[in-house]
Every structure is written in structure tokens, then in C-alpha cells.
Amino acid sequence: MTRDFRLLATGQGLSWLGNAFQTVALAVAIVTTTGGGARDLGLVMAANVLTLLTGTLFGGVWADRLQPQHVMVGSDLIRFGATAAIAAMFATGGYHLALLCALTVVSAGAGSFFSPAMSALKPLLVPAEDRQKANATLSLLQSACGVAGPVTAGLTVAAFGAPAGFTINAVSFLASMVAAAMIRVRAPRGPRSSVRRELSAGWREIRSRDWLLTNLIGASVYHIGNGVILVLVQVVAFQRLGGAHAIGWIAAAEGLGGVIGSAVGMRFRPRRLLFAGLLALPLMSVWAFAYVWPGTLAAVMIGAVIGYAGLLFYDVAWDTSLQENVPHRALGRVSSWDYLASYLAMPVGNALAGPLEGRFGVDRVLTVCAVVLFTASVSMLLAPGCRRLVRTGVPAPENDQAPKTVASADRTAPIQA
């Protein structure tokens, strides 16, 4: 891998670890400060999600206007300042809910610019034929941080308090910022138009590709069902499977599945990569249904390994397909629409979980949601482009709006078997 890719991986690895400290520290800080804190924690989380929803599309525009690493540096600098201020607030005992929400909005607003910029930067860092391996490497790194981060964060916050967790997260943003600032690659940039026109142009890129539009719609439905599941499985694990002990084992199994899926993505290079990813995605329904039947901790852990392996392999396939088939001039904006679908759909599912469980019971709701995951995943295969899109190993032409399919691909292109 190239020097620039190693810099990105190092900075992001530290940042992903730091995010785990933020999650643990926020919950502990609010609970210990307010003596319960469900209301305050909910408001802070809502402020975070609403800000992401508001800012993500604009982040995509600026990722396509500027050098993406410059957007990342600015985002990390702002997030460092906001997180350091949160750490100082709790360290000095000056807790104010309004100030915490304001700082969360600042941090989330900067973060909404970071993700599309990183999506625009990744394909520039390695040769086109190595993009799948690079995406799988980052996915593997993120999965590993997802396992190690919460454990390390829990021990640190328990020993030194919530301000230490916020401080570590702030330092991780500095590390990410330094790494991004050292990246040398430069993206070609064309003339600008109005924000509205550039947003519309990004949406036209999506509409012109049936595989892209179908995946965006299918993923939105998928994330609503998954949002319900992610709430209810915590309840089931705590009440039926052994409490906090079970939750920890299940989280470890999910992380192991993610590592396996990412590792498969490094080595398995089918010609129709997106099709292969979509065949793996329905495996998540196995994980969801395992909570209902057979409903044992061992079964749920096995389901978690299987499901998350499928999910992470799909993620690798999806990222690689975007990078090979969407012109780079629009990649930030297309990615921002993708992020927006997730940010919007997941909270909807989270909010529906409680009312649905109260009316129909947890097992019925989990069963239906498992079916939703399966149906949403399989339905994406109805689009011809999802079945026919082939790997090219070369970047998409900047003036191209037609996906490469089995029927129309240039047979002289270097297809990876």
C-alpha cells in the first residue's frame, strides 16, 4: 500500500478508537452528573443525529469542491476543539445541558463534512486495481477498533473518569488531522456552480444508475428495520441471555464477524463484486432471527459472526463499486446521499422500536424485522445493474454516466477474476 494510504489508515484507526472513548464517556458523564440522565442523553444524541442530517449533503458538495484532505483537516480541528471543551466542562464540574448540546452540534456538524471527504479521498490513495483491498483493509481496521475500543474505553473511564475519555477522543482527532495534513495526493477540481445545482448534479448521478438508486432505496428500508433490531436485541440480551455479560460476548462476536467479512473482501475478487456483496447481505437476517429462535446465547453469537461477516463484505463491495463506477468529480456528493439515507433511516427505526414492542411483543417484531432485512437485501437484486455490474480495475471516466455491465462492458478492460 502507498504512503498516503498508510497515513489515512493510521489516522483513522486512532480516530475510530477515540470514538469509542467518546461514546462511553458521554453516557457515564451524563449519568453521574444528573443522577439518571436518560432525558439529557437523549437530547444530546438527538442533537448529534439532527446535525448530521442537516450537514451531510453540504459536506458532499465541499468534498467535491476542495481537496478532500483539506476538508478532513478542518473537520478534525473543529472536532478537537469541541471535544476538548466538553472534557474541560466535565472536569471542572460546570455541566450545562445547553452548552453540551451546542458543542455536540459543532462536533457533529464538522463530522458531517468529514465522512464524504474521506469517501472522495480513498480512491485517490491507491492504484485502481488495489481499491478493493484498500477498502477491505480499512473495514478490517474499523472492525478491530470496534472490538478493542469499547473494552479499552470502559476500563479507562472506570479508572480515571469521563473527562479522561473525552480527552483521549480529542487527541485522536489531532492524530487524524496530522495524518490527513501529510497526505500529498491531489484531486482534480473543476469550476464551481451554486450549491443547489451541485446537489442536484449529485442526485442525477444516482438516478442515472439503476444499481445505485436501488441500493440507496433498499438500504433505507434495511436501516429502518435494523434500527428497530439494534434497540430490541439489547433488551433481549439483557433480560434473557445473561445481562451485561451476554451483551459483551455478542459485541465480540459481531466484531469477529466484521473481521472475517473484511478479510474475505481482501482476497475474494469476483468479477461481479456488487452481486456477490448483495448475496452476502441477507445473512444479517440470520443474526436477527437467532434472538427469537433458538434464542440461546451460543446461537446468537454464531448468528452475529455470520451476519456481520456478510454485512462487512457487502460494505467492501459497495465502496469499491462506487469508486470504480462513479466519476470522482461527484463521488463526495454521491457518498453524502448514501450517508444521509443511513442517518435518516436508523433513528426512525430506533424510535419505532419501543411502540412496536409494546404493541406486538419483542419476538414478533424481531421476526418481522428479520424478514425486512432479508427482503430489502434481496430486492436490490431486481435491478439489472446490481446483477450485471462488473469490476473494471480502472477509474470511472469523468464524463461517464453509464455503469459497466456484463452486457456493455469493454471487453478489453482489465477485468479481475
Side-chain angles (χ1 to χ4, degrees), residues 46-62 105 108-113 116 195 199 336 339-341 343-344:
N48 181 75
V49 171
L50 290 173
T51 305
L52 290 172
L53 287 172
T54 303
T56 297
L57 292 181
F58 297 101
V61 169
W62 285 101
V105 166
S112 70
F113 279 65
V195 171
L199 283 174
S336 71
Y339 287 119
L340 180 66
Y343 293 147
L344 182 61

Side-chain angles (χ1 to χ4, degrees), residues 191-210:
R192 300 178 185 176
S193 58
S194 69
V195 171
R196 182 183 63 81
R197 287 185 177 180
E198 292 187 12
L199 283 174
S200 298
W203 180 248
R204 284 197 301 273
E205 295 287 343
I206 294 172
R207 288 192 307 164
S208 67
R209 296 164 172 82
D210 68 337

Side-chain angles (χ1 to χ4, degrees), residues 45-416:
M45 293 175 67
N48 181 75
V49 171
L50 290 173
T51 305
L52 290 172
L53 287 172
T54 303
T56 297
L57 292 181
F58 297 101
V61 169
W62 285 101
D64 288 336
R65 284 181 168 185
L66 305 177
Q67 293 299 319
Q69 64 267 45
H70 294 170
V71 177
M72 294 164 64
V73 167
S75 173
D76 278 334
L77 181 60
I78 294 171
R79 290 192 290 179
F80 163 74
T83 307
I86 293 174
M89 180 183 68
F90 282 108
T92 59
Y95 172 72
H96 297 285
L97 176 60
L99 177 58
L100 179 58
C101 287
L103 292 171
T104 299
V105 166
V106 171
S107 181
S112 70
F113 279 65
F114 186 94
S115 295
M118 181 175 166
S119 294
L121 178 65
K122 286 189 295 182
L124 300 175
L125 303 182
V126 295
E129 64 271 16
D130 290 336
R131 287 176 178 175
Q132 181 180 340
K133 182 179 179 181
N135 291 325
T137 299
L138 291 174
S139 180
L140 179 63
L141 179 61
Q142 188 171 15
S143 297
C145 291
V147 175
V151 175
T152 308
L155 294 173
T156 302
V157 171
F160 302 105
F166 291 118
T167 300
I168 291 173
N169 190 39
V171 172
S172 76
F173 287 133
L174 274 184
S176 175
M177 182 185 73
V178 171
M182 294 173 66
I183 292 175
R184 298 170 181 168
V185 70
R186 291 295 179 266
R189 289 294 179 251
R192 300 178 185 176
S193 58
S194 69
V195 171
R196 182 183 63 81
R197 287 185 177 180
E198 292 187 12
L199 283 174
S200 298
W203 180 248
R204 284 197 301 273
E205 295 287 343
I206 294 172
R207 288 192 307 164
S208 67
R209 296 164 172 82
D210 68 337
W211 61 271
L212 189 48
L213 182 60
T214 300
N215 272 260
L216 202 63
I217 296 172
S220 298
V221 176
Y222 176 97
H223 282 304
I224 292 175
N226 201 34
V228 175
I229 292 170
L230 289 174
V231 173
L232 296 185
V233 295
Q234 301 297 321
V235 177
V236 173
F238 190 83
Q239 294 180 346
R240 302 180 186 175
L241 303 180
H245 165 79
I247 293 174
W249 278 110
I250 293 168
E254 293 168 356
L256 175 60
V259 169
I260 292 172
S262 301
V264 172
M266 281 187 186
R267 298 185 176 275
F268 182 47
R269 301 168 67 86
R271 187 172 181 233
R272 292 187 290 173
L273 179 60
L274 181 60
F275 178 67
L278 286 170
L279 290 179
L281 185 58
L283 293 175
M284 278 293 283
S285 60
V286 175
W287 162 75
F289 189 68
Y291 283 90
V292 180
W293 186 88
T296 64
L297 178 58
V300 169
M301 291 177 63
I302 293 171
V305 172
I306 294 171
Y308 276 81
L311 176 64
L312 268 293
F313 177 72
Y314 167 78
D315 284 346
V316 172
W318 176 245
D319 285 344
T320 306
S321 298
L322 285 179
Q323 293 165 6
E324 287 192 348
N325 296 281
V326 175
H328 190 269
R329 58 176 168 74
L331 187 56
R333 282 166 288 169
V334 170
S335 298
S336 71
W337 283 103
D338 185 24
Y339 287 119
L340 180 66
S342 301
Y343 293 147
L344 182 61
M346 190 74 75
V348 171
N350 295 157
L352 290 173
L356 289 175
E357 187 272 338
R359 181 173 178 83
F360 300 106
V362 65
D363 285 349
R364 288 183 180 178
V365 175
L366 282 176
T367 300
V368 170
C369 286
V371 173
V372 169
L373 295 192
F374 183 86
T375 304
S377 303
V378 172
S379 66
M380 299 182 205
L381 292 169
L382 297 177
C386 292
R387 302 190 304 272
R388 300 173 183 169
L389 194 72
V390 296
R391 295 187 65 248
T392 63
V394 297
E398 288 303 304
N399 60 352
D400 181 34
Q401 292 197 0
K404 296 286 190 289
T405 67
V406 170
S408 64
D410 179 0
R411 298 301 180 179
T412 64
I415 302 298
Q416 298 293 325

